[in-house]
């Protein structure tokens, strides 16, 4: 990503322009990475002073992470990984199959389905909190109570309108001629889907993978509704509880915050190439 074009510095040459670029880029690095660096340093610092900032811990220690274990932070972290792992897998599968139907098939009511998905994206979570709790307490047709289960935190995030719409628009750009050629060669519907459509949509999978991971990982209201006991809490809920606990020191809270932040960064780095390709492809096609 280039900032000089947006700032009008690309055509400028000479020492003054170079110095200006260095200053601007340095400010951007400080603004965007400063809080992360501060969190990283403070999590390993024994003597914490909220009013000071240093590039290295005054007294390096792992005591904050040891105390975090005593506060069950690692249990909450494990719960978060369970929910995001199965939830993201389910969300990607649902998005891919739903997008294939919307992009490659024609059926009555397709416009209404797309409009319905857009409507669900516009509704704040607080509005659907009570209806969602009633549905999870008595699942329609099956009459199952999902309150207090991992399934209650996984199933509601299995379908996300954003991911379906991204995959739908990307699949629409896959040439129809590829499918026709495969059908002439005797390929069936499932084989076309698995060997032609899905591989060509890897950039879009990177986009929905990053956004889906972040969406599920940051869920607060849903685990709050489903998990009545603390042993099923995810890390966002645990952070709120630790913050209100007077016996928990600031070091433990910072260590837990770092553990909550790192997975999102790792997920972005893991899908970075596909993510950037997906965004670029969408910009070119649009």
């Amino acid at each position: 990503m280039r900032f000089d074009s947006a700032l009008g510095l690309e055509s400028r040459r000479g020492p003054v322009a170079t110095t200006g670029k260095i200053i601007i880029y340095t400010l951007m690095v400080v603004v965007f990475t400063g809080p992360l660096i501060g969190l990283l340093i403070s999590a390993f610092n024994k003597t914490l002073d909220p009013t000071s900032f240093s590039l290295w811990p005054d007294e390096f220690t792992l005591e904050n992470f040891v105390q975090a274990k005593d506060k069950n932070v690692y249990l909450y972290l494990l719960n978060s990984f369970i929910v995001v792992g199965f939830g993201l897998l389910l969300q990607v599968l649902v998005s891919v199959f739903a997008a294939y139907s919307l992009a490659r098939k024609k059926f009555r009511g397709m416009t209404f389905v797309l409009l319905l998905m857009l409507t669900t994206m516009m509704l704040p979570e607080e509005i659907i909190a009570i209806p969602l709790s009633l549905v999870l307490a008595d699942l329609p047709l099956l009459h199952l109570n999902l309150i207090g289960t991992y399934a209650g935190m996984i199933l509601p995030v299995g379908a996300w309108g954003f991911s379906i719409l991204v995959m739908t628009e990307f699949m629409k750009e896959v040439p129809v001629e590829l499918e026709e050629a495969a059908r002439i060669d005797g390929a069936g519907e499932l084989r076309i889907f698995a060997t032609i459509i899905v591989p060509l949509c890897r950039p879009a999978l990177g986009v929905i993978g990053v956004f889906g991971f972040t969406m599920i990982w940051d869920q607060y209201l849903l685990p709050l509704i489903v998990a009545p006991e603390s042993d099923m809490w995810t890390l966002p809920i645990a952070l709120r509880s630790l913050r209100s606990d007077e016996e928990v020191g600031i070091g433990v809270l910072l260590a837990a915050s770092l553990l909550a932040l790192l997975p999102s960064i790792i997920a972005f780095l893991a899908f970075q190439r596909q993510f950037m390709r997906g965004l670029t492809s969408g910009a070119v096609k649009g």
Side-chain angles (χ1 to χ4, degrees):
M1 183 180 294
R2 295 177 62 89
F3 294 97
D4 48 4
S5 298
L7 297 174
L9 300 176
E10 185 177 15
S11 60
R12 298 183 181 273
R13 298 290 185 270
V16 177
T18 302
T19 303
K21 292 178 183 180
I22 293 175
I23 294 175
I24 292 174
Y25 295 157
T26 302
L27 290 175
M28 289 181 176
V29 170
V30 171
V31 170
F32 288 107
T33 65
L36 176 60
I37 295 175
L39 177 61
L40 181 63
I41 293 172
S42 300
F44 293 96
N45 200 354
K46 186 173 184 179
T47 57
L48 297 174
D49 184 3
T51 63
S52 64
F53 180 83
S54 61
L55 295 177
W56 190 257
D58 298 330
E59 189 174 353
F60 184 86
T61 181
L62 296 176
E63 183 64 25
N64 295 329
F65 294 91
V66 175
Q67 294 181 10
K69 180 181 178 181
D70 298 333
K71 297 297 181 179
N72 293 327
V73 170
Y74 297 107
L75 174 61
Y76 306 141
L77 182 64
L78 177 61
N79 291 337
S80 294
F81 277 123
I82 293 175
V83 173
V84 78
F86 288 98
L88 183 60
L89 177 61
L90 180 61
Q91 186 179 112
V92 170
L93 290 175
V94 171
S95 300
V96 169
F97 282 103
Y100 182 70
S101 300
L102 293 171
R104 315 305 285 188
K105 306 299 179 182
K106 301 297 182 181
F107 57 90
R108 290 185 177 180
M110 184 173 63
T111 304
F112 175 75
V113 173
L114 291 173
L115 180 62
L116 186 62
M117 285 190 296
L118 286 173
T119 304
T120 60
M121 293 172 59
M122 298 176 185
L123 292 176
E125 292 183 346
E126 293 77 9
I127 293 180
I128 63 175
I130 295 179
L132 180 61
S133 63
L134 295 176
V135 170
L136 293 176
D138 186 11
L139 199 64
L141 301 179
L142 299 178
H143 299 292
L144 296 176
N145 183 9
L146 299 182
I147 301 296
T149 65
Y150 287 111
M153 290 184 280
I154 294 173
L155 291 180
V157 299
W160 190 25
F162 173 82
S163 297
I164 296 175
L165 290 176
V166 169
M167 289 300 304
T168 300
E169 293 303 315
F170 204 92
M171 285 186 182
K172 286 181 179 179
E173 300 298 330
V174 177
V176 180
E177 292 77 10
L178 295 176
E179 290 187 52
E180 295 175 350
R183 286 193 174 92
I184 293 175
D185 292 337
E189 195 76 27
L190 185 60
R191 184 178 178 183
I192 294 174
F193 171 77
T195 61
I196 296 178
I197 302 297
V198 174
L200 291 176
C201 294
R202 286 181 181 177
L205 290 174
V207 173
I208 67 173
V210 171
F211 281 106
F213 183 96
T214 305
M215 185 275 285
I216 300 174
W217 185 265
D218 293 338
Q219 281 290 320
Y220 180 82
L221 186 60
L222 179 60
L224 188 65
I225 294 174
V226 176
E229 303 295 335
S230 60
D231 58 351
M232 288 195 64
W233 283 356
T234 55
L235 205 49
I237 298 180
L239 286 174
R240 183 67 182 89
S241 177
L242 292 174
R243 185 179 178 182
S244 60
D245 191 347
E246 298 180 355
E247 297 181 358
V248 177
I250 185 65
V252 177
L253 183 59
L254 290 173
S257 300
L258 180 62
L259 293 174
L261 179 62
L262 285 179
S264 297
I265 297 176
I266 295 173
F268 173 76
L269 294 176
F271 293 100
Q272 181 181 12
R273 180 176 300 179
Q274 290 81 4
F275 180 78
M276 298 307 298
R277 284 179 57 193
L279 293 182
T280 305
S281 300
V284 172
K285 293 170 184 175

